[in-house]
């Protein structure tokens, strides 16, 4: 199955000489073939949206304390995500569990990205440079955007 | 509008964000004029994209088992590194102008907001970050946020995403060859 997707990905480039135009329906299609750049861009923007939403929420509630940033329980969260992937548990449940256990923006956003490409898109990470490459797409920009949104909403809404 | 904004204790943070957004657009505009619209940049970018895609195909579909295939991959990698170095060189001129603009804007913001907390941090930052987040501020409350830290966050987040949105982000396939490439260990 995964070999088929890899061949399809390369043949498309060789035959067309360019990548097929991006369609929104591709975002939820596990059978779609992905170009490395397209997938990287999608993961980048998902991270930015998650960062903005988290920052606005964290600031509005407000959540206070550095624990909401740090990579606490990271290993636990990632191990849980791996176990869920093996058991084919739905994305919604893994999101909820990561949120409860992780309680940190970095864990949450990494968990969402991992859940998206591993469970919804069913991507073989080896074709795209491994988990590290996919998980670090847009990471620093999303962290700064999250901090910016969190600080701004907190400062303006609560003082 | 002014009355509404003055009602916020930390309305200065909005001024910092607004100036950062304008600066980001200005810097990208300068970069576009000096680099991105030139034919040399477009051809270099296209060369890098094609070479990196070709390299990926050669490495994944055709596993390099023969010496000739490995040599071919090395040739493509070397050509990719050279193109990346040329791209870095072409960005030097605009890089200097953009750095000057950022320096001037930072100086302007510093003169406007020096010694004033522009926002309140919802966390106490680590000591290394405090040097920037509490820069120029009086008192021991480490949750006071200085202009420098907020400007730093704005610059990184807004400029990175603006570059990405406009398609000016550096190509993913370009290795970090830099201006001073190290000798290739395979040829020694």
């Amino acid at each position: 199955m995964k070999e088929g997707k890899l061949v399809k990905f390369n043949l498309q480039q060789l035959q067309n000489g360019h990548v097929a135009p991006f369609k929104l329906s591709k975002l939820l299609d596990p059978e779609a073939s992905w170009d490395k750049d397209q997938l990287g861009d999608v993961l980048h923007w998902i991270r930015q949206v998650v960062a903005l939403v988290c920052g606005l929420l964290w600031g509005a509630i407000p959540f206070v304390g550095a624990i909401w940033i740090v990579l606490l329980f990271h290993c636990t969260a990632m191990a849980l995500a791996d176990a869920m992937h093996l058991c084919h548990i739905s994305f919604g449940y893994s999101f909820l569990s990561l949120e409860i256990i992780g309680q940190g923006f970095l864990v949450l956003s990494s968990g969402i990205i991992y859940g998206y490409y591993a469970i919804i898109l069913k991507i073989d990470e080896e074709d795209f440079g491994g988990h590290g490459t996919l998980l670090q797409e847009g990471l620093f920009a999303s962290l700064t955007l999250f901090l910016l949104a969190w600080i701004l909403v907190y400062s303006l809404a609560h003082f | 509008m002014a009355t509404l904004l003055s009602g916020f204790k930390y309305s200065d943070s909005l001024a910092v964000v607004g100036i950062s957004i304008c600066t980001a657009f200005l810097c990208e505009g300068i970069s576009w004029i000096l680099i991105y619209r030139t034919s040399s940049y477009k051809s270099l970018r296209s060369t890098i994209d094609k070479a990196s895609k070709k390299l990926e195909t050669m490495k994944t579909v055709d596993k390099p088992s023969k010496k000739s295939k490995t040599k071919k991959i090395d040739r493509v990698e070397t050509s990719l590194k050279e193109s990346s170095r040329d791209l870095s060189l072409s960005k030097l001129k605009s890089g200097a102008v953009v750095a000057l603009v950022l320096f001037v804007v930072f100086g302007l913001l510093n003169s406007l907001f020096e010694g004033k907390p522009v926002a309140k941090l919802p966390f106490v930052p680590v000591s290394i970050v405090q040097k920037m987040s509490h820069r120029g501020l009086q008192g021991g409350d480490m949750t006071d946020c200085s202009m420098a830290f907020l400007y730093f966050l704005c610059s990184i987040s807004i400029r990175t995403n603006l570059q990405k949105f406009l398609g000016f982000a550096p190509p993913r396939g370009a290795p970090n060859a830099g201006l001073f490439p190290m000798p290739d260990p395979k040829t020694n």
Side-chain angles (χ1 to χ4, degrees):
Chain A
M1 171 77 156
K2 285 177 181 174
E3 219 175 287
K5 278 182 93 164
L6 171 60
V7 172
K8 200 171 155 187
F9 149 67
N10 285 304
L11 273 178
Q12 188 177 45
Q13 287 191 292
L14 289 172
Q15 285 167 6
N16 297 346
H18 66 274
V19 180
F22 180 75
K23 289 179 186 171
L24 280 176
S25 55
K26 204 175 168 182
L27 289 176
L28 296 172
D29 183 7
E31 296 300 320
S33 60
W34 285 92
D35 171 66
K36 196 173 180 181
D37 285 342
Q38 269 185 357
L39 181 64
D41 289 347
V42 165
L43 295 182
H44 172 97
W45 289 116
I46 288 175
R47 265 214 196 264
Q48 307 315 304
V49 169
V50 169
L52 193 60
V53 169
C54 282
L56 294 175
L57 266 175
W58 265 232
I61 290 169
F63 284 141
V64 175
I67 197 170
W68 298 101
I69 314 170
V70 296
L71 266 166
L72 206 58
F73 306 124
H74 173 73
C75 293
T76 314
M78 291 307 293
L80 186 66
D82 276 332
M84 286 180 178
H85 174 63
L86 288 171
C87 298
H88 302 289
I89 294 176
S90 71
F91 172 69
Y93 182 62
S94 61
F95 174 91
L96 183 63
S97 300
L98 281 170
E99 201 226 351
I100 290 168
I101 292 171
Q103 294 185 345
F105 164 72
L106 285 171
V107 170
L108 183 65
S109 68
S110 299
I112 289 171
I113 293 294
Y114 175 82
Y116 176 69
Y117 72 73
I119 298 171
I120 293 186
L121 293 185
K122 295 185 173 56
I123 293 267
D124 182 4
E125 69 281 355
E126 292 304 321
D127 298 336
F128 297 92
H131 287 301
T133 306
L134 294 175
L135 287 174
Q136 59 92 31
E137 281 289 344
L139 179 63
F140 192 54
S142 73
L143 177 61
T144 52
L145 183 60
F146 160 72
L147 287 175
L148 184 65
W150 188 18
I151 292 168
L152 278 179
V153 175
Y154 178 71
S155 303
L156 294 171
H158 299 285
F159 291 91
Chain B
M1 181 77 170
T3 320
L4 177 70
L5 285 176
S6 62
F8 293 117
K9 183 179 176 186
Y10 292 108
S11 56
D12 290 336
S13 58
L14 295 174
V16 174
V17 172
I19 292 172
S20 297
I21 291 173
C22 294
T23 309
F25 274 99
L26 178 64
C27 291
E28 288 312 301
I30 291 170
S31 298
W32 182 78
I33 290 170
L34 293 178
I35 319 170
Y36 301 139
R37 65 173 184 165
T38 60
S39 54
S40 57
Y41 173 81
K42 285 178 187 170
S43 68
L44 266 175
R45 183 80 192 242
S46 165
T47 306
I48 290 173
D49 286 339
K50 282 180 189 161
S52 60
K53 281 183 167 57
K54 190 177 176 184
L55 196 64
E56 261 179 61
T57 316
M58 286 165 79
K59 281 183 175 175
T60 53
V61 175
D62 307 319
K63 298 282 178 201
S65 51
K66 295 183 186 172
K67 207 175 171 186
S68 58
K69 285 240 166 81
T70 314
K71 275 190 177 174
K72 217 176 172 182
I73 287 174
D74 286 345
R75 262 204 304 274
V76 174
E77 268 179 355
T78 309
S79 145
L80 184 61
K81 277 182 190 163
E82 280 171 9
S83 302
S84 302
R85 195 179 61 238
D86 293 341
L87 192 75
S88 302
L89 276 170
S90 71
K91 284 182 168 180
L92 262 184
K93 188 168 61 173
S94 101
V97 176
V98 164
L100 183 66
V101 168
L102 292 173
F103 184 75
V104 166
V105 170
F106 184 79
L108 170 72
L109 285 172
N110 209 33
S111 64
L112 287 173
F113 301 114
E114 191 175 10
K116 263 170 77 176
V118 297
K120 197 76 171 163
L121 299 176
F123 56 91
V124 177
V126 295
S127 52
I128 301 170
V129 176
Q130 279 175 20
K131 291 190 190 328
M132 193 193 300
S133 68
H134 208 256
R135 187 175 175 274
L137 298 181
Q138 304 298 320
D141 185 358
M142 292 300 149
T143 58
D144 284 336
C145 180
S146 71
M147 176 279 303
F149 186 58
L150 197 67
Y151 182 61
F152 167 76
L153 292 178
C154 289
S155 296
I156 302 289
S157 56
I158 296 170
R159 277 198 72 206
T160 307
N161 286 310
L162 185 63
Q163 281 181 347
K164 196 85 180 169
F165 182 73
L166 296 174
F168 297 154
R172 230 176 236 103
N176 293 323
L179 295 174
F180 307 102
M182 301 301 288
D184 192 343
K186 288 179 196 166
T187 56
N188 291 335

